Amino acid sequence: DEKKVLKIGWAQDPQTLNPFVAQDEENFEVWAMTWDLLVNFSPDDLGPVPGIAESWEVSPDKKTVTYKLVEGAKWSDGEPITSADVKFSLEELGGDSLIFTGYTSNVTSIETPDDQTVVIKTSQPDTRMIGGLFVYILPEHVYGDVPGAELRKNFQPPLPMVGSGPYVVTQFERGRILTLE
């Protein structure tokens, strides 16, 4: 097989790969190729499609959503993707970051009854819980041991950047190069 390389020139390069502090559009392009959402957006009509969750069920009062995660899904480093990763991401990235916090403002609790199940309760019905919960799911085993104050300051994810998406960031030199494999 012949190796194919796609080179892209941007008007601005990402300033950081840290999702807790970055705000630039270019970061979203990198993150969208690196991490999935709990429920992704369809490329055809932007409707909800499986992401980290393969299915979901909404309670009759529309204030509780139970998600079943993709069975056997793994991070790029081989670790399993579990409900703990989802809970961590929604509480930490969704709870206190520059741009993701508003998406979880209606969440009253996140339960993880087992590794493959996440139950999100909201104070009122919230359509964002399916097809609009725009908080990337991060690997807790990479970010969970980093103190919150550092995550929200100058933390840089170690490379290769552990992800669930089709690409992994293997090289990043701000202002010079960003390589995804």
Side-chain angles (χ1 to χ4, degrees):
D1 283 325
E2 181 182 328
K3 183 176 181 181
K4 294 183 180 181
V5 175
L6 172 64
K7 294 183 180 183
I8 299 173
W10 281 338
Q12 177 178 322
D13 61 311
Q15 302 300 301
T16 176
L17 296 177
N18 182 344
F20 288 88
V21 299
Q23 302 179 68
D24 301 318
E25 176 184 332
E26 291 76 15
N27 291 101
F28 283 92
E29 292 180 32
V30 173
W31 297 333
M33 292 185 281
T34 305
W35 298 311
D36 286 294
L37 301 170
L38 185 57
V39 177
N40 282 336
F41 295 95
S42 166
D44 297 327
D45 62 7
L46 297 179
V49 296
I52 296 295
E54 65 182 356
S55 64
W56 44 90
E57 186 175 309
V58 181
S59 67
D61 70 358
K62 300 186 179 8
K63 295 196 298 189
T64 301
V65 183
T66 302
Y67 303 87
K68 289 295 182 187
L69 305 189
V70 174
E71 191 75 34
K74 296 189 183 307
W75 294 106
S76 57
D77 65 359
E79 292 290 319
I81 298 174
T82 71
S83 58
D85 296 307
V86 175
K87 182 175 174 68
F88 168 79
S89 300
L90 296 179
E91 288 180 347
E92 290 297 320
L93 185 60
D96 189 10
S97 65
L98 283 178
I99 53 179
F100 296 107
T101 301
Y103 293 99
T104 59
S105 60
N106 192 28
V107 173
T108 58
S109 71
I110 302 168
E111 300 167 8
T112 56
D114 61 53
D115 283 348
Q116 297 305 120
T117 307
V118 177
V119 180
I120 298 178
K121 297 181 186 244
T122 58
S123 58
Q124 59 191 15
D126 190 337
T127 58
R128 294 178 300 178
M129 295 303 113
I130 301 170
L133 187 55
F134 207 95
V135 178
Y136 291 105
I137 305 304
L138 306 176
E140 182 186 28
H141 68 280
V142 173
Y143 294 84
D145 291 334
V146 180
E150 187 179 334
L151 283 175
R152 291 162 185 87
K153 197 171 180 186
N154 15 355
F155 175 76
Q156 286 300 305
L159 299 180
M161 202 160 86
V162 177
S164 60
Y167 292 94
V168 171
V169 176
T170 57
Q171 182 181 16
F172 176 61
E173 295 175 39
R174 184 175 164 194
R176 188 175 173 310
I177 190 167
L178 173 69
T179 304
L180 294 92
E181 293 180 10

